[in-house]
Amino acid sequence: MAKRSASVRRELARDDEAFDVPAAVLCACCGQPDCPGCSAACDEGSGVVAIVPWERPIGGVWSRLWATSKATTLGAETFFAAMPDGALPAAMRFALLAETLAILSMIAALLPLVALALPTLTLELARNPAARASALQWLALGVPALTVWMVLAHAVHGAALDLGARRQGARPERRRALRFGLYACGWDLMAGPLGALAMILASGRKGVDQLLSVSLRVPGKASTALLQGVYALRPEAADRARRAGSVAALALTITSGFAAIALIVALS
């Protein structure tokens, strides 16, 4: 009996040597089972990573767009703290679509107000085909231009956060930072009339109240989540990097805004 037990123990020992049991828990940021707390993700890491709903191969365009926009706004801290690496074209398509819908929904919401505030102009557009054609031409040029400008502003914000993080000693994560900026365009869709309407249809007044309560704080919370989650910066260093990113984004917005106004005046 003793010999048989010893033989069984030797067989079990050989089995333990032959098979490597995988870790049950992996870090959602870097995918490593022995992550100390968490270290910044690397491209070579493997394991469990966040999956952006927009990049999933299943579901329709609207469902993936809406799920991603909700995640970037209502779940911003969780979403951006585990911002996965990936291809930029998919994020760019999301950004362009989200901004286009946000701008078009804003125009649709403002048109009745403009018509009431400027009845003379409204009548002129209704009666004059040339005026209507000119207005439609400006709209056809203005919507794509504003869309590109908004996407660029968000991308520069992400790049500025990467620069600020590197100045605090973090390793570069340029592509993740750009993906942060591109997926941040979901904020604009959620904060616009279309986002509010979708929230009303999905969750009623409670959903709109939730959206209003978080909208103004989303950029700061998302930036901090990215800097602490992906770049593994301490809170004090993350605050300094976030301020640098905000200043750069504000400077670009003001500069490009004046440039756009000057261009419009020149074309007029």
Side-chain angles (χ1 to χ4, degrees):
M1 185 69 179
K3 290 183 178 180
R4 183 177 180 182
S5 298
S7 176
V8 170
R9 285 195 296 271
R10 286 194 297 272
E11 290 293 333
L12 291 175
R14 283 197 295 269
D15 289 343
D16 289 341
E17 294 174 357
F19 297 99
D20 183 17
V21 179
V25 179
L26 301 178
C27 174
C29 179
C30 64
Q32 301 299 327
D34 56 349
C35 174
C38 163
S39 59
C42 61
D43 295 341
E44 292 78 16
S46 61
V48 177
V49 296
I51 299 177
V52 178
W54 174 255
E55 298 177 4
R56 291 172 181 164
I58 57 175
V61 172
W62 171 251
S63 64
R64 291 184 289 118
L65 177 75
W66 178 243
T68 305
S69 299
K70 282 184 64 178
T72 63
T73 306
L74 301 182
E77 291 177 285
T78 302
F79 182 88
F80 289 109
M83 185 78 243
D85 200 359
L88 291 177
M92 179 63 73
R93 288 192 294 270
F94 170 86
L96 292 172
L97 180 58
E99 289 294 350
T100 300
L101 291 177
I103 292 168
L104 289 176
S105 67
M106 185 63 71
I107 292 173
L110 291 177
L111 277 179
L113 300 178
V114 173
L116 291 174
L118 302 172
T120 304
L121 177 60
T122 303
L123 289 175
E124 178 65 18
L125 291 174
R127 295 172 179 174
N128 191 338
R132 283 199 307 273
S134 178
L136 290 175
Q137 183 179 11
W138 275 105
L139 190 64
L141 293 174
V143 171
L146 184 57
T147 297
V148 172
W149 178 59
M150 293 296 294
V151 171
L152 178 62
H154 279 290
V156 170
H157 182 212
L161 288 176
D162 179 76
L163 178 60
R166 286 188 284 123
R167 287 182 174 177
Q168 299 301 318
R171 58 170 286 176
E173 291 287 354
R174 295 182 183 87
R175 190 161 56 185
R176 278 187 174 87
L178 286 175
R179 282 166 60 82
F180 165 87
L182 295 174
Y183 279 114
C185 292
W187 306 340
D188 298 337
L189 177 60
M190 292 294 294
L194 183 58
L197 177 61
M199 285 297 293
I200 290 176
L201 296 177
S203 307
R205 177 65 181 273
K206 182 179 178 181
V208 176
D209 291 341
Q210 182 185 11
L211 181 61
L212 292 175
S213 67
V214 303
S215 291
L216 294 178
R217 296 176 292 169
V218 166
K221 287 181 174 291
S223 300
T224 300
L226 176 81
L227 293 167
Q228 293 184 359
V230 173
Y231 289 91
L233 291 177
R234 295 184 180 277
E236 300 81 7
D239 287 340
R240 291 192 292 270
R242 181 174 59 82
R243 286 194 294 269
S246 299
V247 169
L250 180 61
L252 172 71
T253 301
I254 294 174
T255 303
S256 58
F258 279 117
I261 293 173
L263 180 61
I264 292 173
V265 172
L267 292 175
S268 300

